[in-house]
Each structure stands twice: as C-alpha cells, then as structure tokens.
Amino acid sequence: MMENEEKRVWGIHTKDDHLFLVDNRIAIEWKPIGNLSKIEATRAAFNDKYIEVYPNAKKGAIPTSSGMLYRFMYEMQVGDYVVFPSKSDRKINIGIVESDYIYEPTALEYV
C-alpha cells in the first residue's frame, strides 16, 4: 500500500460473533449469488446479477443490496479497518483486513 493512500473504516454487523472474533473472518453471504469475483467489476453488473437471482426484489432495494456486495468485493482493501458491535458482550471490535476476497462455496451458511 502506498503511503498516501487513505485507509477506510467499514462497519459490519453480524449475528455470529464467533466467526469474526475466533475464526478471524469477516463475511458477507448471499449464497444464491455465488462467487462475487465472477461478476463483472461494475455496479451495473452487480445490479443485473442481483435482479437475475432475485427477480421479485423491490426496485429500491436492488442498488442498496447489490452495492453492499460490490463494495465488499471491490472497494474493501487489505489494510482497511473493520468495526463491528458484538452482540454477545456489547463491545465495539476493531480489526484490519488482511487478505483479498475469498469465495468459500462449502462454508456453512452465514447469517
């Protein structure tokens, strides 16, 4: 990372503190959409994929939901900070992104 690059802070919510705190992973899961790296790196392509998988989605929800996926895949960078509130102990947890996106098709379903 170049010295003049700014690190971003990402807020993530989870119902699975164990995944984040013990397994040291952050995750986003829309299993029906599959591997995000297979979608063209444009917001329009993510919108189209979302509509393909969820044809009955409310029109206003499409850019919000597909945008979350796009940002997780293409905007979150190694070195960025991740902040999430823990449901179990009400603490605010801070971590650092240490790898690029990894698709795990056999992972247990994540809420």
Side-chain angles (χ1 to χ4, degrees):
M1 185 189 275
M2 300 177 78
E3 284 185 37
N4 62 354
E5 287 186 50
E6 288 188 34
K7 294 180 182 181
R8 293 181 178 168
V9 177
W10 300 92
I12 296 184
H13 295 273
T14 180
K15 293 181 181 177
D16 187 357
D17 287 359
H18 187 270
L19 178 73
F20 285 26
L21 296 173
V22 177
D23 293 346
N24 291 319
R25 296 174 184 255
I26 56 171
I28 192 167
E29 193 255 328
W30 262 277
K31 244 183 191 174
I33 290 184
N35 187 346
L36 300 179
S37 67
K38 302 288 185 189
I39 304 171
E40 181 184 342
T42 67
R43 287 182 178 269
F46 272 69
N47 282 346
D48 291 345
K49 181 65 174 182
Y50 196 87
I51 292 166
E52 174 189 321
V53 174
Y54 300 103
N56 297 323
K58 292 183 181 179
K59 190 174 184 176
I62 295 166
T64 302
S65 296
S66 68
M68 280 189 274
L69 299 170
Y70 177 85
R71 287 189 305 278
F72 191 84
M73 178 68 204
Y74 291 107
E75 292 182 4
M76 187 178 285
Q77 300 292 315
V78 172
D80 284 354
Y81 296 100
V82 177
V83 178
F84 80 94
S86 175
K87 300 283 186 201
S88 62
D89 61 14
R90 303 177 60 93
K91 291 181 181 176
I92 301 297
N93 299 280
I94 302 171
I96 297 175
V97 176
E98 294 181 339
S99 78
D100 291 327
Y101 170 82
I102 299 168
Y103 177 63
E104 293 185 6
T106 59
L108 296 175
E109 189 165 336
Y110 165 72
V111 180

